[in-house]
Amino acid sequence: MPYSKVTGLGYYLPETIVTNADLAAQMDTSDEWIVERTGIRERRFFKEGVDTVSNMGARAARIAMDRAGRKPEDIDMVVFATLSPDYYFPGCGVLAQRELGLRQIPCFDIRQQCGGFVYALSLADQYIRTGFAKKVLVIGSEIQSNVMEISDRGRNMAAIFGDGAGALLLEAHDEAGKGLLSTHLHSDGTHAEELMVEHIGSRRKQRITHAMIDDGSMLPYMNGKMVFQHAVRYFPEVIREALTANNLKESDIDIFVPHQANARITQAVQKELGLRDDQVVSNIHKYGNTTAGSIPIALTEAWEEGRVKEGDLVCLAAFGSGFMWASTLIRW
Ligand code: UT7
């Protein structure tokens, strides 16, 4: 049975940097509040006419393909994770396919929010393990700056989220114990409405009304405290599940790349797992929470900095809207 491994990594970030001071000029917040509660100092906002979720994802994917020495005709599947697609439909997978000049291959879109990238990796891994695909582009990309409202009523979301994209190329190989060791996925719809965008959904006869625009119900809603409490519980749980499944323990982890939700969540998980600072990748201060983009951006940056080395045990994990949570272990 083939296994999958990462052969290329890339990311793309829009140029525009928005600092906490920039936000504080437009809404009732402060650099101190945002840094203390989240660790975020700045984030990127996309430029209309230049950046789209699909083309940012494609730019990241092109870098990953180049690093792996692969051409468009080599790719035989795309899994694109996003909660902020260019169009209501079709999804971004086919748009990235077109942008990259790929063959008429299957292109998935998945919408698992902050869990999106690990879910996408899992899907790609399963298709590789069954022999259906050999080279799969896994892309996570988000534009969130235009769904949040930079205003007092939107401030708890606007302080946190940013735009960005990352991608990995997964390829089939035969060496057991190398590459993706396993993926572990969970969800619990009980709390679906605790982190959501309600409108524009299909539940109402009239999908868009002036009232929705006026009352702010088209903006994302988050019960921050509840999300926080579940995140700090489920991150360690799903990581331990992965370790146990592979007869490994916390101290075997060389580098941990969590979804960048909040620096305080990362610190709590780090403490729980007994990891040192140099084993934990955190770039949230620069980019905020880029949802499905955050793990591939953070992993690629860490790899570029030489922090991910051959033979390392890399742990990826995420928690987010759904709720959904997931982990994977990669022997690099
Ligand atoms: O990626 C997965 C999804 N998201 C997460 O994982 C996020 C999880 N949750 C969190 O990170 C935190 O709950 C937040 C950072 C969102 C909020 O931190 P908190 O310590 O839970 O604050 P809070 O929501 O309890 O708000 C405390 C106060 C409130 O004021 P009052 O009621 O005490 O007067 C808020 O209105 O802070 C206020 N507040 C703000 N103040 C300044 C909320 N947003 C802001 C803001 N600037 N941007």
Side-chain angles (χ1 to χ4, degrees):
M1 188 171 85
Y3 304 95
S4 67
K5 69 174 179 186
V6 177
T7 57
L9 316 82
Y11 65 82
Y12 171 85
L13 292 154
E15 273 179 24
T16 308
I17 296 173
V18 177
T19 64
N20 292 345
D22 294 332
L23 294 183
Q26 295 175 69
M27 63 188 201
D28 183 14
T29 192
S30 65
D31 181 51
E32 295 71 33
W33 191 96
I34 300 174
V35 172
E36 190 191 312
R37 306 278 174 138
T38 70
I40 300 165
R41 293 184 182 276
E42 57 189 45
R43 72 285 293 142
R44 303 297 178 95
F45 280 7
F46 86 113
K47 188 165 183 199
E48 190 179 315
V50 174
D51 304 311
T52 64
V53 166
S54 62
N55 78 18
M56 297 193 324
R59 288 170 195 155
R62 198 171 283 123
I63 296 168
M65 286 163 63
D66 286 348
R67 283 177 166 158
R70 299 300 179 200
K71 301 261 170 303
E73 56 271 26
D74 298 328
I75 306 303
D76 38 30
M77 184 181 280
V78 172
V79 186
F80 200 118
T82 186
L83 60 66
S84 50
D86 294 17
Y87 303 134
Y88 202 82
F89 70 84
C92 284
V94 293
L95 303 179
Q97 172 202 30
R98 183 173 69 189
E99 180 98 12
L100 292 164
L102 308 181
R103 291 177 292 116
Q104 293 178 340
I105 54 170
C107 296
F108 290 90
D109 267 54
I110 62 160
R111 27 180 313 174
Q112 320 304 113
Q113 299 72 248
C114 297
F117 199 78
V118 183
Y119 265 74
L121 275 181
S122 178
L123 198 63
D125 183 50
Q126 307 308 316
Y127 275 102
I128 288 175
R129 283 176 189 248
T130 58
F132 187 96
K134 287 194 168 55
K135 295 180 182 60
V136 183
L137 276 175
V138 185
I139 303 172
S141 178
E142 305 286 5
I143 287 178
Q144 309 185 99
S145 55
N146 57 4
V147 72
M148 307 173 308
E149 191 175 75
I150 317 269
S151 69
D152 293 355
R153 75 174 176 184
R155 66 179 179 171
N156 75 323
M157 301 298 278
I160 295 177
F161 293 91
D163 305 338
L168 302 185
L169 179 59
L170 277 198
E171 296 197 29
H173 74 109
D174 293 323
E175 213 182 323
K178 267 268 193 192
L180 265 75
L181 303 182
S182 61
T183 53
H184 302 267
L185 312 179
H186 294 280
S187 50
D188 178 0
T190 314
H191 307 298
E193 283 77 18
E194 300 299 343
L195 178 46
M196 63 154 357
V197 179
E198 184 182 357
H199 301 132
I200 316 164
S202 57
R203 297 195 317 149
R204 306 199 189 251
K205 279 279 181 202
Q206 234 185 318
R207 288 202 187 186
I208 310 174
T209 64
H210 286 289
M212 287 175 194
I213 299 170
D214 295 340
D215 69 15
S217 61
M218 287 174 68
L219 301 176
Y221 165 77
M222 176 168 72
N223 179 343
K225 281 212 185 322
M226 190 178 193
V227 174
F228 196 104
Q229 285 158 2
H230 281 76
V232 295
R233 172 178 162 202
Y234 285 123
F235 263 107
E237 207 171 285
V238 75
I239 292 165
R240 289 195 171 116
E241 181 185 359
L243 291 166
T244 304
N246 291 284
N247 290 318
L248 295 163
K249 46 193 187 314
E250 281 94 331
S251 56
D252 292 317
I253 295 174
D254 292 299
I255 190 132
F256 173 44
V257 186
H259 162 54
Q260 308 286 307
N262 180 323
R264 283 162 57 215
I265 294 176
T266 299
Q267 282 154 12
V269 178
Q270 170 181 351
K271 195 167 167 221
E272 175 73 21
L273 297 177
L275 300 173
R276 301 184 310 269
D277 286 352
D278 64 295
Q279 293 178 294
V280 180
V281 178
S282 177
N283 62 7
I284 194 165
H285 56 291
K286 294 189 289 185
Y287 311 130
N289 179 342
T290 56
T291 306
S294 91
I295 287 181
I297 296 169
L299 178 60
T300 306
E301 272 199 346
W303 176 82
E304 287 174 348
E305 289 161 8
R307 295 176 68 189
V308 183
K309 297 178 287 300
E310 181 82 20
D312 276 357
L313 185 68
V314 182
C315 175
L316 313 181
F319 178 90
S321 164
F323 293 150
M324 293 189 203
W325 58 106
S327 67
T328 184
L329 290 173
I330 305 175
R331 181 65 71 185
W332 206 261

